[in-house]
Amino acid sequence: MALVPLRDHIFFLAQLQNLGYLAVYFTALAVRFRAGRVTRPMLSIDKRPLAVVGACEAVAQLLFMAGAAHIPGPLLPVVNQTYLVWSLLFASLILGTRYSRAQLAGAALVVAGVSAAAIPPAALAQWLPQTAGSAAAAAAAAVSNAAAAAEVELRYVAVCVSCFAFPAIANCIKERVFSSAAATLGRPLDIFVVNSFGSLFQAVFVLLLLPATTAIKGLALSDLPSHMAASLRAFLGEAGATAGVAGGWMQYSTPLLALSYVVTNLAFNISILSLLRSVGSVTTTLVGSSLVPLTIAAFTLPLPYLEPAMLGPNFLLGAALLMAGLATYNWESWRWLLRGLRNPQPRNSSGGEASAG
């Protein structure tokens, strides 16, 4: 919703998000340092891996916002799942993780699902038989009529897909930082150390990427101040400055939506990094994948700025393949989980679970 009124002001929204990250993370870091939960040795860890993390997240943020503003909302949670494939690849290359055939088959189904969901309905209609009076012809006509409302520009889908390579690399590096710091410090590294310095480096690299950012938008660096002034007016909901707004109360909801976007991302990032520290990057990716059906369903609701999504047959096929891929990938984990629920292990004297070997 936030991307609709600020579609032409993506850079402004990205900087608003970065400033919010820096303010919240470093405030939390200072509070936790005073409380003794963050120690000086934690603050003295090698920052070079976090610099790479910041660079990856700056590039990913730029590419995702540029692509996401131009593809249908229901397609976003499907495209997001290509992160699983990137995560598998880079966890194997960086962390040396190995995967079973079922996991690889699940990842292949995820790719097939994203590809099917991204096919323009008009292209799908051309594949259907055009026999006069047949049910297939009627279905083809219906799909063609839906094409105007659900047209997908594949170049923007490709931008979003490629951008997820960078957070996959960043998460693998974060996982290595957590494991090496725990071995060195003798205790888990506080997540706000990683969040704070990672966000600081991200802000630095966003500034370094300004020439590329302005070039993508067709702006000269000298035009950036006037563009940011226009972005501020759009953020404040001034009449005529906000694209895609019909007026009324929705015009003045732009600041609320943008700030809600930043707050929600903060909460999600803190939660997901806590999970990453505990269970690793690939399992964290799979937990996030469980949100797919809920997110798709949310886009069918009458939300502000957004027309309720019409899900075509190609999208439903893609979503089905994607969920089948996630189920296939998770099959072994779910089987062990269900077995554990049926036969809970007795707790040992230290309060932990007894090892099953």
Side-chain angles (χ1 to χ4, degrees):
M1 291 186 288
L3 283 172
V4 173
L6 296 175
R7 176 172 178 168
D8 297 324
H9 307 279
I10 301 301
F11 181 74
F12 178 87
L13 183 58
Q15 301 325 302
L16 180 68
Q17 179 173 292
N18 290 336
L19 290 174
Y21 284 3
L22 288 173
V24 172
Y25 289 156
F26 274 101
T27 299
L29 184 65
V31 170
R32 293 168 77 83
F33 179 73
R34 291 181 181 179
R37 301 184 68 176
V38 174
T39 64
R40 291 191 181 278
M42 288 184 184
L43 296 176
S44 300
I45 64 168
D46 185 5
K47 305 297 191 305
R48 287 174 296 180
L50 298 181
V52 179
V53 167
C56 289
E57 292 181 343
V59 173
Q61 182 187 66
L62 175 64
L63 292 178
F64 178 73
M65 286 193 166
H70 297 275
I71 65 177
L75 186 57
L76 282 177
V78 178
V79 173
N80 287 0
Q81 300 317 302
T82 57
Y83 177 84
L84 171 61
V85 180
W86 291 117
S87 184
L88 288 169
L89 174 62
F90 289 113
S92 177
L93 294 176
I94 297 174
L95 303 175
T97 309
R98 294 293 177 262
Y99 302 98
S100 67
R101 292 181 179 177
Q103 290 173 314
L104 295 176
L109 283 172
V110 168
V111 173
V114 172
S115 301
I119 295 173
L124 183 66
Q126 295 175 0
W127 298 343
L128 296 176
Q130 300 294 322
T131 305
S134 69
V143 171
S144 294
N145 291 334
E151 187 175 355
V152 178
E153 294 191 60
L154 294 182
R155 57 175 176 165
Y156 290 115
V157 175
V159 169
C160 283
V161 169
S162 62
C163 87
F164 287 111
F166 296 96
I169 295 171
N171 268 4
C172 289
I173 295 173
K174 288 177 184 177
E175 185 175 345
R176 174 168 285 183
V177 167
F178 279 126
S179 60
S180 62
T184 302
L185 301 172
R187 58 182 293 187
L189 179 64
D190 191 272
I191 62 170
F192 283 98
V193 175
V194 174
N195 271 340
S196 299
F197 288 101
S199 295
L200 178 61
F201 285 117
Q202 179 179 350
V204 170
F205 280 101
V206 165
L207 293 176
L208 293 176
L209 288 171
L210 271 179
T213 303
T214 54
I216 289 173
K217 294 189 66 64
L219 293 172
L221 277 176
S222 58
D223 296 329
L224 188 60
S226 60
H227 176 73
M228 294 297 285
S231 298
L232 180 60
R233 292 195 297 272
F235 170 73
L236 296 175
E238 292 185 12
T242 307
V245 178
W249 71 269
M250 292 172 68
Q251 176 180 335
Y252 303 102
S253 66
T254 303
L256 178 61
L257 285 173
L259 293 174
S260 298
Y261 174 83
V262 173
V263 170
T264 304
N265 271 281
L266 278 166
F268 181 80
N269 286 346
I270 292 170
S271 301
I272 212 71
L273 194 58
S274 299
L275 188 64
L276 175 68
R277 181 178 62 176
S278 303
V279 299
S281 59
V282 174
T283 304
T284 299
T285 302
L286 294 170
V287 171
S289 299
S290 66
L291 299 174
V292 172
L294 294 176
T295 309
I296 293 172
F299 275 105
T300 65
L301 301 175
L303 300 171
Y305 293 143
L306 302 176
E307 291 294 329
M310 301 298 293
L311 305 181
N314 65 309
F315 187 90
L316 296 177
L317 172 63
L321 287 172
L322 186 146
M323 295 308 298
L326 296 177
T328 301
Y329 186 96
N330 278 294
W331 174 245
E332 289 296 328
S333 299
W334 288 341
R335 189 174 67 174
W336 280 103
L337 176 62
L338 292 173
R339 181 180 299 176
L341 291 176
R342 287 195 298 264
N343 303 296
Q345 296 291 327
R347 293 189 176 274
N348 58 31
S349 58
S350 63
E353 296 274 331
S355 173

